[in-house]
Amino acid sequence: MKTTKTIFVLGLAVISLSVFVNGCMTTKEASEATGSQLWSENCGRCHYAPPISTYSSDQWEVLCMHMKSRTMIPDRDVQKIVEFLKSGQ
Amino acid sequence: MKTLNTFVTTGLLLMGAAAFAQDSIRSSTSGDLKGVITGDVFFGFKFVNNKGIPNRPNVSTFTTVGYNPVVLYKLSDKFFFEGEVEFQTSEWQEGGSTSGNAVGEGLAVELEYANLNYVINKYMLVKFGIFFTPYGVFEDWYHQRITNRMTSRPPGIGHGGIEPGADEGVQVNGGFPLGGGAKLHYAVALLNGGKLVTDDPGNNNGSLEYESIIDNNVNKAVVGRIGILPVPWLEFGGWYGSSKVGKDVIQNNIGAIHSGIYFSIIKSIDPIKGTVCFRSQYSKLAVDNAVFRQTDSTTYTFKNNNSKAYYAQLSYRPTMLKNKFVRRCEIAARYGSITLPDPAQGKWIMPGTTSAASNKTQWAVSLDYWLKWNAVIKFSYEQNHPKKGALPRATWIIQAAMGL
């Protein structure tokens, strides 16, 4: 019973956050962060950022999907980062 | 019935949350398989000064050579697979023994993670398999040799700690942009969870085993974690998890609660011409009172089965200096502590270790030299202070690591 309650509480928390976040979605300031800036900020949180030439466009696509899965970077930011990395090839 | 409830609730949670998403991710157009093989390699040398400690000679040894290949496959825009196998020589432990699931001459092999991800929408993906759990963030993000500025894990955190590193189950996670550049991320997981040890009187009874492939009951551990980045350089969050970990000798269903918080900062600061990184985590585990059998077959009640561990780490790298050699150097310091229940002192063998656990504090310093963004040589010094008057133990470690 305790576990079921915990699931409900956590579920409600996620749904509530979804509603909250949808209510205050992207501001102009946030949406203006460049792919280069986001790449530096997000990579640097755990490790130093690799040079763009380290990987091919296809490899960057795969690696960014991996990082999105592991570190939960928002999709909007991931798309910008991938575009930046591909443009630098 | 509980299992049914779990399935129904999980299904509703997934469906409900998906319905809230306003946009959907791009659908796969090509379906082409794209893959990357990456990972890391490392090796080290360790010297332990046991001066003054009875029956503990000083030790120096080359130790823990590891090759950890990671394979990543993007099957489509919605499907993704990630897996890592760890090949390592057994890690030297205090007392001269070694740890690891040896399959050859000192070789330990472990399936670190292997999970299939499905992107539900921009704000949510679901993963199945073995993955790093939401119990804390150190094991998930900072334990790899090129993300960890030190040569070791903090006491009690990650593998060998009071919470699982990886586990098998299903997880929903994602991230949201908030207003003004702030971000929020979340993870909710159903896992096999820990197992209460009940058949090792005088030693491990009362401890939890983790990362077991087969669960010991129908109950699943539920854990959720939330992290918030009000600005890109600052992050904090917390997690809470509940599970049933097995039955004691009078068939009481024993529960365990994991909880904790974390806080981190990484920022380049012009006046000090460098980048400062601060990481910290506080983890707590509370296990219900349980009745165990002693070696003489009488029973006793294990009360206050509570454990906690924490660490704080600060590092600095002069990334803005012109001198190339100095720019590649980084200094780091860490303080950590683990506190276990009194009956566990000198008896429990923590997961992934072979020597008896005890309360301890530890401080460590490290000088790292970065050859590249993904290659580093670390020179570190650690001092472990067992509580209750035991002599401290000093360890020097050199470690070289490279990401692939």
Side-chain angles (χ1 to χ4, degrees), chain A residues 3 48 61 66 69-70 77, chain B residues 74 82 117 140 183 330:
Chain A
T3 304
Y48 293 108
E61 242 181 72
H66 170 58
S69 167
R70 284 286 291 278
D77 293 358
Chain B
K74 183 183 177 190
E82 57 180 13
N117 293 245
D140 198 354
K183 296 168 194 170
E330 181 164 20

Side-chain angles (χ1 to χ4, degrees), chain B residues 286-353:
Chain B
V287 181
D288 291 347
N289 293 348
V291 179
F292 296 99
R293 207 169 295 287
Q294 303 189 92
T295 47
D296 60 2
S297 295
T298 58
T299 59
Y300 73 101
T301 303
F302 193 149
K303 296 178 180 175
N304 301 316
N305 189 349
N306 301 321
S307 305
K308 65 180 179 183
Y310 64 85
Y311 83 95
Q313 177 184 305
L314 183 66
S315 59
Y316 167 75
R317 183 176 174 189
T319 47
M320 299 178 202
L321 287 184
K322 288 180 181 173
N323 186 295
K324 194 174 176 182
F325 177 83
V326 179
R327 204 169 60 224
R328 288 179 167 186
C329 294
E330 181 164 20
I331 52 171
R334 184 182 73 202
Y335 180 81
S337 171
I338 179 171
T339 304
L340 297 168
D342 285 341
Q345 303 296 324
K347 292 179 180 175
W348 283 3
I349 307 295
M350 302 295 282
T353 66

